[in-house]
Amino acid sequence: MSLKGLFLFVVGIFVFGMISAAEDIDNRVREIAHMLRCPTCQALSVKESDAGLSVNMKERIRELLQEGKSEEEILEFFVERYGEWILRSPKKEGFSLLLWTLPGLILLVTVLLLFQYLRKKSLITSVVETRALSEKEQRQIDNDLKRL
Amino acid sequence: MKRKPYFLLGIFVTAGLVLILIYGLFYASRPGEIPSAQISQKAKPFQATTFDGQTISLQQFRGQPVILNFWASWCVACRREAHIIEAAYQKYGVKGAVFIGIAINDTREASLGFIRRYGKTYLLAPDNKTGTISLDYGVTAVPETFLIDKNGIISEKVLGAITKLKIDRFLLNQL
Amino acid sequence: MIVDIGYFSLLCALVLAAYTVITLYAGIRRNSHNLVLSARYSSMVILILVAAAYFSLTFAFIRDDFSIRFVALHSSTDLPLFYKVTAVWGGMEGSLLLWELILAFFIAIIAFRYRKTNREILPHTLIVLNLISLFLLFLLIGWSNPLAGEFPVSSEGNGLNPLLQNPGMVFHPPSLYLGYVAFSIPFAFAMGSLMRGKLGNQWIVSTRRWTLFAWFFLTIGIILGGGWAYVELGWGGYWAWDPVENGSLMPWLTGTAFLHSVIVQEKRNSLRIWNMVLIIATFTLSILGTFITRSGILNSVHSFAKSNIGPAFLIFIVAILVFSVGLLFYRQSLLVSKSQTAGIFCKENSFLLNNIVFVVMCFTVLYGTVFPLLAEGLADKKLSIQAPFFNTIMAPIAVLMVFLMGITHVLGWKKTSLVLLRKNVLVPSLLTIVVMAVIFYLFSPPWQMELLGGVSIFAGYLVVRELIRSRRTGDLPAEHERESIGSRLLKSLTKDGRRKGGLIIHLGIVIMMIGICGSFFNRETTFTFGPGEENSFGRYVMKFKETTETQSRNSRNVGLAVEILQDGKSVGVLTPVKSYYPTSQQPMTEVAIQHSLIEDLYISLASINSDGTATLNVYINPLVSFIWGSVIFFIIGFIYSMSYKPIQLRQK
């Protein structure tokens, strides 16, 4: 019971802490600005930066959204002007495909190799095990041990 | 399990990493340097109103080389290049080269003060409030100078204070 | 003057470290106990010499001795005493000295603590450790000398970077260094046993607690860094996947893998080469982290001055790799482990999978961090790889990690019956599905959150259940039955510290993951308001109270007092501040945060405008407290784990 109580408590907090964000234009500007790298303070995103250029960019994103442009179109607008450098997460094409796919590929391959290896090993051991002690033998051993 | 291929793989990966680090340390460009995406492309047209009220647009200078400089009164390196650009303008302006300075993220008073202090006389205009021109050109910091050839193609972008040599070399080719 | 003594003692330490290496080598060759003894004593002397250098620098800071360049660059007369003492590691040169001090201290401990239990491999181990120390001392007397003088002497220093004037940042570097340096001890033991050719499990058992120690301080160091970013950088986040942060995360990931896989070697005597690989990787990555931080090959929020130690570190990294991998290759035939696994579903296999996951995570972080260099070199493209990439790619792997962390607790060594397994995971699976369905229905969060939240609940349930099972007094051996309940409770609480420690740390990870889930629900807004005006956001109403201006010892602070109202009642006043330091051009943003278990209200002052209004950036960050709260679990779990004494050590 105490376990369940504890869990309900944690889950309750969990649920209570989450209030969905409204999809207003300010948030959409932030979402897009978060995908762009600030040219002035390069470790930050445009969203996080208060540098003059970033402020201008945010304003431009807002204008473009009001013109009815989609997120992809707006990102493309900046890529055209600044190059792919401006994207904080490279496009999934060309050379960058190597970036996006290799980690998953490695994970997949190693896990497959591991499973193959383990299956081979467990087959060997299961063969060994079936030939292992029968009940009679076990009793024999137990008796021997007692005698000792 | 055969161990040898795994060892080879490990050596391959670590050697690769070391090569990348050597490249990064000695051969790669500085991480802060951002190449322009618009080199060899047609310069984006723009319109601006100069501080003395004249309306200019890039199209009207078709056939002439353009030195398009982005600056601001609060920028330190702009002070260093101010008289270089003005001197070049005095020298090449009469021969047909166009010099434009666009002030970004600046107040009108501060810009005017800067112009007076450094005696700039070429075409000087503020960017609009949301920086349309500077964003169109992909400006990353001030000062930044775009060298636009006679056909309206951007031939080079110069990050930081421009030097006399760069202007000379470009314009001698163009004029 | 005093600093000259410090520099002289560094020189002596360098000579002595070289002497130690040579003596140890000779001692091994001639099998001379006396030579080894001499080397052990010289380790002690090196510690004294390095400490003397360190304290001479500290003294120079306290005395505002600006004739020392390092002091002039990182201190000023108006700096509070506390920050003067800690500014010693406020720059690269001084932090290398701190690193060397910690290393010298650990070497001295090793030289005496393990003289009996590890007699055979101790000289070899000490050689490795002293070679590391030799490298650092070389840097300290030449390339990056913290005690170098400057002429002409200025009357005022540059001042400590205001970003570093924060308690989190004060303890973040030493904590990381403790972790890094402590990881060099299992590394040295591993190399020592390879050199000696004596490859039992002794090195693992002897360094078990060093590994735990290293892991703990690395973890705390990383979290302190996150806490610092949260309160000091002012954009509402604690982790930005910055190259410098990644540099500290990578050894943590392989170190965590190592921490688990040595258990497999201890219990089942397998994975012997793999453990060597992991500790080599962990140690190399801790050096690589420093290289990335200090060489300036990648840019980062942490505005470190570029330095010229890049090439030296690169040479060191290559030397470590060539030495250790070569040694491993040479000795591999001694490291064959007998394969003796049984079923597919067993604890050791979950550990194997866990290792794969951690190593792939580490690879991904490293790959993403250096990929811009790769793209520039091979494809002539300049790319940026920052938080959005890492968040996307790491989320699924982290989900797998948390899942494994939970499931491993219902798996037995060797073999697990599937019936039992099914029975054990039935309730948590159902619970997870129900809770996540409810959350989905209420908030429709992104799928990453659903997955991460789901596995966190799943793992959390299993960990808590194990924890409750492990503290039942009934599990105590019969001999304790007559004792009082109190003493039995105490016994059952302290019994089996290793297992409990692990479980509590796992619980901490679950808590932290729940905190990270909260970040999917972050909200923020920006608004400008004038005196007396109000603005509401979420459950809060913020009222413009007054602007404040205070003068502290070394900064002028302009702030805005904001009264926070909840349900019409005032719950407090938050004062975000902009601090102007005479020694720095940019003002510093000091955020104001109202913490609660459910969410943080996080306000940073964007600007106070000329017309008397003020602009605020306001963030609501749900469940962030869980991340900081997880530290408590790490501390308790760490104490529990350290209470476990390895058998081999106990017998001696």
PDB file of all heavy atoms in Angstrom, chain A residues 5-34:
ATOM      1  N   GLY A   5       0.975   4.318  -2.596  1.00  0.00           N
ATOM      2  CA  GLY A   5       0.778   5.710  -2.163  1.00  0.00           C
ATOM      3  C   GLY A   5       1.903   6.599  -2.667  1.00  0.00           C
ATOM      4  O   GLY A   5       1.665   7.659  -3.252  1.00  0.00           O
ATOM      5  N   LEU A   6       3.107   6.084  -2.483  1.00  0.00           N
ATOM      6  CA  LEU A   6       4.284   6.850  -2.913  1.00  0.00           C
ATOM      7  C   LEU A   6       4.206   7.124  -4.404  1.00  0.00           C
ATOM      8  O   LEU A   6       4.446   8.228  -4.887  1.00  0.00           O
ATOM      9  CB  LEU A   6       5.544   6.034  -2.603  1.00  0.00           C
ATOM     10  CG  LEU A   6       6.853   6.742  -2.885  1.00  0.00           C
ATOM     11  CD1 LEU A   6       7.126   7.747  -1.790  1.00  0.00           C
ATOM     12  CD2 LEU A   6       7.984   5.748  -2.985  1.00  0.00           C
ATOM     13  N   PHE A   7       3.811   6.089  -5.116  1.00  0.00           N
ATOM     14  CA  PHE A   7       3.772   6.247  -6.560  1.00  0.00           C
ATOM     15  C   PHE A   7       2.730   7.234  -7.008  1.00  0.00           C
ATOM     16  O   PHE A   7       2.978   8.066  -7.872  1.00  0.00           O
ATOM     17  CB  PHE A   7       3.584   4.890  -7.228  1.00  0.00           C
ATOM     18  CG  PHE A   7       4.774   4.602  -8.018  1.00  0.00           C
ATOM     19  CD1 PHE A   7       5.829   3.946  -7.435  1.00  0.00           C
ATOM     20  CD2 PHE A   7       4.906   5.117  -9.296  1.00  0.00           C
ATOM     21  CE1 PHE A   7       6.989   3.762  -8.132  1.00  0.00           C
ATOM     22  CE2 PHE A   7       6.061   4.944  -9.991  1.00  0.00           C
ATOM     23  CZ  PHE A   7       7.105   4.253  -9.417  1.00  0.00           C
ATOM     24  N   LEU A   8       1.559   7.134  -6.367  1.00  0.00           N
ATOM     25  CA  LEU A   8       0.501   8.080  -6.720  1.00  0.00           C
ATOM     26  C   LEU A   8       0.978   9.504  -6.477  1.00  0.00           C
ATOM     27  O   LEU A   8       0.713  10.412  -7.261  1.00  0.00           O
ATOM     28  CB  LEU A   8      -0.758   7.784  -5.908  1.00  0.00           C
ATOM     29  CG  LEU A   8      -1.510   6.551  -6.393  1.00  0.00           C
ATOM     30  CD1 LEU A   8      -2.717   6.276  -5.520  1.00  0.00           C
ATOM     31  CD2 LEU A   8      -1.929   6.730  -7.860  1.00  0.00           C
ATOM     32  N   PHE A   9       1.726   9.659  -5.381  1.00  0.00           N
ATOM     33  CA  PHE A   9       2.244  10.991  -5.045  1.00  0.00           C
ATOM     34  C   PHE A   9       3.144  11.518  -6.165  1.00  0.00           C
ATOM     35  O   PHE A   9       2.935  12.612  -6.692  1.00  0.00           O
ATOM     36  CB  PHE A   9       3.024  10.897  -3.733  1.00  0.00           C
ATOM     37  CG  PHE A   9       3.733  12.155  -3.353  1.00  0.00           C
ATOM     38  CD1 PHE A   9       3.007  13.277  -2.946  1.00  0.00           C
ATOM     39  CD2 PHE A   9       5.111  12.230  -3.404  1.00  0.00           C
ATOM     40  CE1 PHE A   9       3.661  14.443  -2.605  1.00  0.00           C
ATOM     41  CE2 PHE A   9       5.766  13.394  -3.068  1.00  0.00           C
ATOM     42  CZ  PHE A   9       5.037  14.494  -2.665  1.00  0.00           C
ATOM     43  N   VAL A  10       4.129  10.668  -6.541  1.00  0.00           N
ATOM     44  CA  VAL A  10       5.069  11.099  -7.585  1.00  0.00           C
ATOM     45  C   VAL A  10       4.335  11.394  -8.882  1.00  0.00           C
ATOM     46  O   VAL A  10       4.530  12.419  -9.526  1.00  0.00           O
ATOM     47  CB  VAL A  10       6.149  10.018  -7.812  1.00  0.00           C
ATOM     48  CG1 VAL A  10       6.994  10.363  -9.026  1.00  0.00           C
ATOM     49  CG2 VAL A  10       7.006   9.878  -6.578  1.00  0.00           C
ATOM     50  N   VAL A  11       3.432  10.465  -9.228  1.00  0.00           N
ATOM     51  CA  VAL A  11       2.723  10.610 -10.486  1.00  0.00           C
ATOM     52  C   VAL A  11       1.830  11.846 -10.450  1.00  0.00           C
ATOM     53  O   VAL A  11       1.723  12.590 -11.436  1.00  0.00           O
ATOM     54  CB  VAL A  11       1.907   9.335 -10.771  1.00  0.00           C
ATOM     55  CG1 VAL A  11       0.925   9.577 -11.906  1.00  0.00           C
ATOM     56  CG2 VAL A  11       2.847   8.202 -11.115  1.00  0.00           C
ATOM     57  N   GLY A  12       1.251  12.076  -9.280  1.00  0.00           N
ATOM     58  CA  GLY A  12       0.392  13.258  -9.120  1.00  0.00           C
ATOM     59  C   GLY A  12       1.172  14.531  -9.417  1.00  0.00           C
ATOM     60  O   GLY A  12       0.725  15.390 -10.196  1.00  0.00           O
ATOM     61  N   ILE A  13       2.358  14.605  -8.839  1.00  0.00           N
ATOM     62  CA  ILE A  13       3.215  15.770  -9.072  1.00  0.00           C
ATOM     63  C   ILE A  13       3.551  15.882 -10.549  1.00  0.00           C
ATOM     64  O   ILE A  13       3.484  16.936 -11.167  1.00  0.00           O
ATOM     65  CB  ILE A  13       4.513  15.625  -8.260  1.00  0.00           C
ATOM     66  CG1 ILE A  13       4.210  15.822  -6.806  1.00  0.00           C
ATOM     67  CG2 ILE A  13       5.557  16.626  -8.718  1.00  0.00           C
ATOM     68  CD1 ILE A  13       5.319  15.377  -5.910  1.00  0.00           C
ATOM     69  N   PHE A  14       3.869  14.725 -11.094  1.00  0.00           N
ATOM     70  CA  PHE A  14       4.226  14.604 -12.488  1.00  0.00           C
ATOM     71  C   PHE A  14       3.142  15.219 -13.374  1.00  0.00           C
ATOM     72  O   PHE A  14       3.397  16.046 -14.245  1.00  0.00           O
ATOM     73  CB  PHE A  14       4.344  13.103 -12.745  1.00  0.00           C
ATOM     74  CG  PHE A  14       5.124  12.736 -13.937  1.00  0.00           C
ATOM     75  CD1 PHE A  14       6.382  13.236 -14.119  1.00  0.00           C
ATOM     76  CD2 PHE A  14       4.602  11.847 -14.854  1.00  0.00           C
ATOM     77  CE1 PHE A  14       7.119  12.869 -15.221  1.00  0.00           C
ATOM     78  CE2 PHE A  14       5.331  11.476 -15.944  1.00  0.00           C
ATOM     79  CZ  PHE A  14       6.590  11.984 -16.130  1.00  0.00           C
ATOM     80  N   VAL A  15       1.923  14.793 -13.074  1.00  0.00           N
ATOM     81  CA  VAL A  15       0.795  15.251 -13.889  1.00  0.00           C
ATOM     82  C   VAL A  15       0.545  16.731 -13.661  1.00  0.00           C
ATOM     83  O   VAL A  15       0.312  17.498 -14.596  1.00  0.00           O
ATOM     84  CB  VAL A  15      -0.459  14.424 -13.555  1.00  0.00           C
ATOM     85  CG1 VAL A  15      -1.668  14.995 -14.269  1.00  0.00           C
ATOM     86  CG2 VAL A  15      -0.246  12.979 -13.952  1.00  0.00           C
ATOM     87  N   PHE A  16       0.638  17.121 -12.394  1.00  0.00           N
ATOM     88  CA  PHE A  16       0.298  18.496 -12.053  1.00  0.00           C
ATOM     89  C   PHE A  16       1.284  19.483 -12.666  1.00  0.00           C
ATOM     90  O   PHE A  16       0.932  20.596 -13.002  1.00  0.00           O
ATOM     91  CB  PHE A  16       0.299  18.637 -10.524  1.00  0.00           C
ATOM     92  CG  PHE A  16      -0.468  19.833 -10.056  1.00  0.00           C
ATOM     93  CD1 PHE A  16      -1.777  20.019 -10.462  1.00  0.00           C
ATOM     94  CD2 PHE A  16       0.124  20.767  -9.227  1.00  0.00           C
ATOM     95  CE1 PHE A  16      -2.496  21.118 -10.035  1.00  0.00           C
ATOM     96  CE2 PHE A  16      -0.588  21.868  -8.802  1.00  0.00           C
ATOM     97  CZ  PHE A  16      -1.892  22.043  -9.200  1.00  0.00           C
ATOM     98  N   GLY A  17       2.532  19.038 -12.814  1.00  0.00           N
ATOM     99  CA  GLY A  17       3.560  19.933 -13.328  1.00  0.00           C
ATOM    100  C   GLY A  17       3.428  20.214 -14.808  1.00  0.00           C
ATOM    101  O   GLY A  17       4.168  21.013 -15.357  1.00  0.00           O
ATOM    102  N   MET A  18       2.532  19.559 -15.454  1.00  0.00           N
ATOM    103  CA  MET A  18       2.487  19.681 -16.912  1.00  0.00           C
ATOM    104  C   MET A  18       1.210  20.389 -17.346  1.00  0.00           C
ATOM    105  O   MET A  18       0.121  19.878 -17.220  1.00  0.00           O
ATOM    106  CB  MET A  18       2.511  18.287 -17.528  1.00  0.00           C
ATOM    107  CG  MET A  18       3.761  17.553 -17.188  1.00  0.00           C
ATOM    108  SD  MET A  18       3.552  15.836 -17.484  1.00  0.00           S
ATOM    109  CE  MET A  18       5.099  15.239 -16.882  1.00  0.00           C
ATOM    110  N   ILE A  19       1.402  21.560 -17.830  1.00  0.00           N
ATOM    111  CA  ILE A  19       0.251  22.288 -18.336  1.00  0.00           C
ATOM    112  C   ILE A  19       0.593  22.668 -19.764  1.00  0.00           C
ATOM    113  O   ILE A  19       1.633  23.258 -20.025  1.00  0.00           O
ATOM    114  CB  ILE A  19      -0.032  23.525 -17.471  1.00  0.00           C
ATOM    115  CG1 ILE A  19      -0.361  23.072 -16.048  1.00  0.00           C
ATOM    116  CG2 ILE A  19      -1.165  24.345 -18.062  1.00  0.00           C
ATOM    117  CD1 ILE A  19      -0.089  24.087 -14.997  1.00  0.00           C
ATOM    118  N   SER A  20      -0.236  22.270 -20.661  1.00  0.00           N
ATOM    119  CA  SER A  20       0.160  22.399 -22.065  1.00  0.00           C
ATOM    120  C   SER A  20       0.297  23.859 -22.480  1.00  0.00           C
ATOM    121  O   SER A  20      -0.403  24.741 -21.994  1.00  0.00           O
ATOM    122  CB  SER A  20      -0.853  21.704 -22.959  1.00  0.00           C
ATOM    123  OG  SER A  20      -2.071  22.390 -22.882  1.00  0.00           O
ATOM    124  N   ALA A  21       1.245  24.080 -23.377  1.00  0.00           N
ATOM    125  CA  ALA A  21       1.529  25.440 -23.813  1.00  0.00           C
ATOM    126  C   ALA A  21       0.574  25.840 -24.939  1.00  0.00           C
ATOM    127  O   ALA A  21       0.226  25.036 -25.784  1.00  0.00           O
ATOM    128  CB  ALA A  21       2.962  25.528 -24.300  1.00  0.00           C
ATOM    129  N   ALA A  22       0.162  27.056 -24.911  1.00  0.00           N
ATOM    130  CA  ALA A  22      -0.741  27.548 -25.952  1.00  0.00           C
ATOM    131  C   ALA A  22       0.048  27.753 -27.244  1.00  0.00           C
ATOM    132  O   ALA A  22       1.216  28.077 -27.229  1.00  0.00           O
ATOM    133  CB  ALA A  22      -1.380  28.848 -25.504  1.00  0.00           C
ATOM    134  N   GLU A  23      -0.611  27.521 -28.357  1.00  0.00           N
ATOM    135  CA  GLU A  23       0.063  27.631 -29.657  1.00  0.00           C
ATOM    136  C   GLU A  23      -0.060  29.052 -30.204  1.00  0.00           C
ATOM    137  O   GLU A  23      -0.590  29.256 -31.282  1.00  0.00           O
ATOM    138  CB  GLU A  23      -0.564  26.639 -30.638  1.00  0.00           C
ATOM    139  CG  GLU A  23       0.168  25.310 -30.705  1.00  0.00           C
ATOM    140  CD  GLU A  23       1.574  25.427 -31.257  1.00  0.00           C
ATOM    141  OE1 GLU A  23       1.744  26.005 -32.339  1.00  0.00           O
ATOM    142  OE2 GLU A  23       2.498  24.940 -30.587  1.00  0.00           O
ATOM    143  N   ASP A  24       0.358  30.049 -29.460  1.00  0.00           N
ATOM    144  CA  ASP A  24       0.227  31.396 -29.996  1.00  0.00           C
ATOM    145  C   ASP A  24       1.481  31.776 -30.777  1.00  0.00           C
ATOM    146  O   ASP A  24       2.469  31.048 -30.794  1.00  0.00           O
ATOM    147  CB  ASP A  24      -0.089  32.418 -28.896  1.00  0.00           C
ATOM    148  CG  ASP A  24       1.027  32.488 -27.888  1.00  0.00           C
ATOM    149  OD1 ASP A  24       1.957  31.660 -27.978  1.00  0.00           O
ATOM    150  OD2 ASP A  24       0.978  33.352 -26.995  1.00  0.00           O
ATOM    151  N   ILE A  25       1.445  32.915 -31.412  1.00  0.00           N
ATOM    152  CA  ILE A  25       2.507  33.272 -32.349  1.00  0.00           C
ATOM    153  C   ILE A  25       3.845  33.468 -31.638  1.00  0.00           C
ATOM    154  O   ILE A  25       4.892  33.084 -32.150  1.00  0.00           O
ATOM    155  CB  ILE A  25       2.113  34.501 -33.183  1.00  0.00           C
ATOM    156  CG1 ILE A  25       3.138  34.710 -34.315  1.00  0.00           C
ATOM    157  CG2 ILE A  25       1.993  35.743 -32.327  1.00  0.00           C
ATOM    158  CD1 ILE A  25       2.614  35.505 -35.459  1.00  0.00           C
ATOM    159  N   ASP A  26       3.810  33.988 -30.392  1.00  0.00           N
ATOM    160  CA  ASP A  26       5.055  34.164 -29.640  1.00  0.00           C
ATOM    161  C   ASP A  26       5.781  32.835 -29.490  1.00  0.00           C
ATOM    162  O   ASP A  26       6.991  32.744 -29.646  1.00  0.00           O
ATOM    163  CB  ASP A  26       4.765  34.729 -28.252  1.00  0.00           C
ATOM    164  CG  ASP A  26       4.354  36.185 -28.310  1.00  0.00           C
ATOM    165  OD1 ASP A  26       4.456  36.759 -29.421  1.00  0.00           O
ATOM    166  OD2 ASP A  26       3.924  36.720 -27.286  1.00  0.00           O
ATOM    167  N   ASN A  27       5.003  31.802 -29.175  1.00  0.00           N
ATOM    168  CA  ASN A  27       5.631  30.500 -28.990  1.00  0.00           C
ATOM    169  C   ASN A  27       6.173  29.944 -30.293  1.00  0.00           C
ATOM    170  O   ASN A  27       7.217  29.285 -30.308  1.00  0.00           O
ATOM    171  CB  ASN A  27       4.639  29.517 -28.375  1.00  0.00           C
ATOM    172  CG  ASN A  27       4.451  29.796 -26.905  1.00  0.00           C
ATOM    173  OD1 ASN A  27       5.366  30.284 -26.245  1.00  0.00           O
ATOM    174  ND2 ASN A  27       3.263  29.528 -26.401  1.00  0.00           N
ATOM    175  N   ARG A  28       5.466  30.198 -31.378  1.00  0.00           N
ATOM    176  CA  ARG A  28       5.962  29.701 -32.670  1.00  0.00           C
ATOM    177  C   ARG A  28       7.252  30.432 -33.042  1.00  0.00           C
ATOM    178  O   ARG A  28       8.182  29.815 -33.562  1.00  0.00           O
ATOM    179  CB  ARG A  28       4.899  29.871 -33.752  1.00  0.00           C
ATOM    180  CG  ARG A  28       3.707  28.958 -33.519  1.00  0.00           C
ATOM    181  CD  ARG A  28       2.966  28.676 -34.795  1.00  0.00           C
ATOM    182  NE  ARG A  28       3.806  28.077 -35.825  1.00  0.00           N
ATOM    183  CZ  ARG A  28       3.507  28.112 -37.115  1.00  0.00           C
ATOM    184  NH1 ARG A  28       2.422  28.730 -37.528  1.00  0.00           N
ATOM    185  NH2 ARG A  28       4.304  27.541 -37.988  1.00  0.00           N
ATOM    186  N   VAL A  29       7.302  31.742 -32.760  1.00  0.00           N
ATOM    187  CA  VAL A  29       8.542  32.490 -33.010  1.00  0.00           C
ATOM    188  C   VAL A  29       9.668  31.856 -32.212  1.00  0.00           C
ATOM    189  O   VAL A  29      10.760  31.610 -32.717  1.00  0.00           O
ATOM    190  CB  VAL A  29       8.379  33.974 -32.625  1.00  0.00           C
ATOM    191  CG1 VAL A  29       9.725  34.678 -32.658  1.00  0.00           C
ATOM    192  CG2 VAL A  29       7.401  34.663 -33.551  1.00  0.00           C
ATOM    193  N   ARG A  30       9.397  31.538 -30.932  1.00  0.00           N
ATOM    194  CA  ARG A  30      10.439  30.944 -30.088  1.00  0.00           C
ATOM    195  C   ARG A  30      10.890  29.598 -30.608  1.00  0.00           C
ATOM    196  O   ARG A  30      12.072  29.298 -30.645  1.00  0.00           O
ATOM    197  CB  ARG A  30       9.916  30.792 -28.668  1.00  0.00           C
ATOM    198  CG  ARG A  30      10.011  32.075 -27.920  1.00  0.00           C
ATOM    199  CD  ARG A  30       9.776  31.898 -26.445  1.00  0.00           C
ATOM    200  NE  ARG A  30       9.344  33.186 -25.957  1.00  0.00           N
ATOM    201  CZ  ARG A  30       8.093  33.516 -25.760  1.00  0.00           C
ATOM    202  NH1 ARG A  30       7.135  32.635 -25.953  1.00  0.00           N
ATOM    203  NH2 ARG A  30       7.785  34.718 -25.363  1.00  0.00           N
ATOM    204  N   GLU A  31       9.901  28.789 -31.012  1.00  0.00           N
ATOM    205  CA  GLU A  31      10.256  27.460 -31.522  1.00  0.00           C
ATOM    206  C   GLU A  31      11.212  27.576 -32.699  1.00  0.00           C
ATOM    207  O   GLU A  31      12.190  26.834 -32.795  1.00  0.00           O
ATOM    208  CB  GLU A  31       9.001  26.714 -31.981  1.00  0.00           C
ATOM    209  CG  GLU A  31       8.343  25.912 -30.889  1.00  0.00           C
ATOM    210  CD  GLU A  31       6.944  25.484 -31.280  1.00  0.00           C
ATOM    211  OE1 GLU A  31       6.690  25.291 -32.489  1.00  0.00           O
ATOM    212  OE2 GLU A  31       6.098  25.358 -30.371  1.00  0.00           O
ATOM    213  N   ILE A  32      10.909  28.493 -33.605  1.00  0.00           N
ATOM    214  CA  ILE A  32      11.751  28.618 -34.798  1.00  0.00           C
ATOM    215  C   ILE A  32      13.102  29.240 -34.420  1.00  0.00           C
ATOM    216  O   ILE A  32      14.149  28.792 -34.874  1.00  0.00           O
ATOM    217  CB  ILE A  32      11.020  29.422 -35.885  1.00  0.00           C
ATOM    218  CG1 ILE A  32       9.780  28.649 -36.323  1.00  0.00           C
ATOM    219  CG2 ILE A  32      11.930  29.691 -37.074  1.00  0.00           C
ATOM    220  CD1 ILE A  32       8.857  29.402 -37.214  1.00  0.00           C
ATOM    221  N   ALA A  33      13.048  30.256 -33.556  1.00  0.00           N
ATOM    222  CA  ALA A  33      14.296  30.921 -33.158  1.00  0.00           C
ATOM    223  C   ALA A  33      15.212  29.942 -32.437  1.00  0.00           C
ATOM    224  O   ALA A  33      16.435  30.058 -32.480  1.00  0.00           O
ATOM    225  CB  ALA A  33      13.989  32.116 -32.263  1.00  0.00           C
ATOM    226  N   HIS A  34      14.613  28.946 -31.775  1.00  0.00           N
ATOM    227  CA  HIS A  34      15.404  27.946 -31.064  1.00  0.00           C
ATOM    228  C   HIS A  34      16.216  27.089 -32.034  1.00  0.00           C
ATOM    229  O   HIS A  34      17.242  26.517 -31.671  1.00  0.00           O
ATOM    230  CB  HIS A  34      14.469  27.071 -30.242  1.00  0.00           C
ATOM    231  CG  HIS A  34      15.194  26.067 -29.393  1.00  0.00           C
ATOM    232  ND1 HIS A  34      16.050  26.441 -28.388  1.00  0.00           N
ATOM    233  CD2 HIS A  34      15.205  24.719 -29.411  1.00  0.00           C
ATOM    234  CE1 HIS A  34      16.548  25.357 -27.828  1.00  0.00           C
ATOM    235  NE2 HIS A  34      16.058  24.301 -28.428  1.00  0.00           N
TER     236      HIS A  34
END
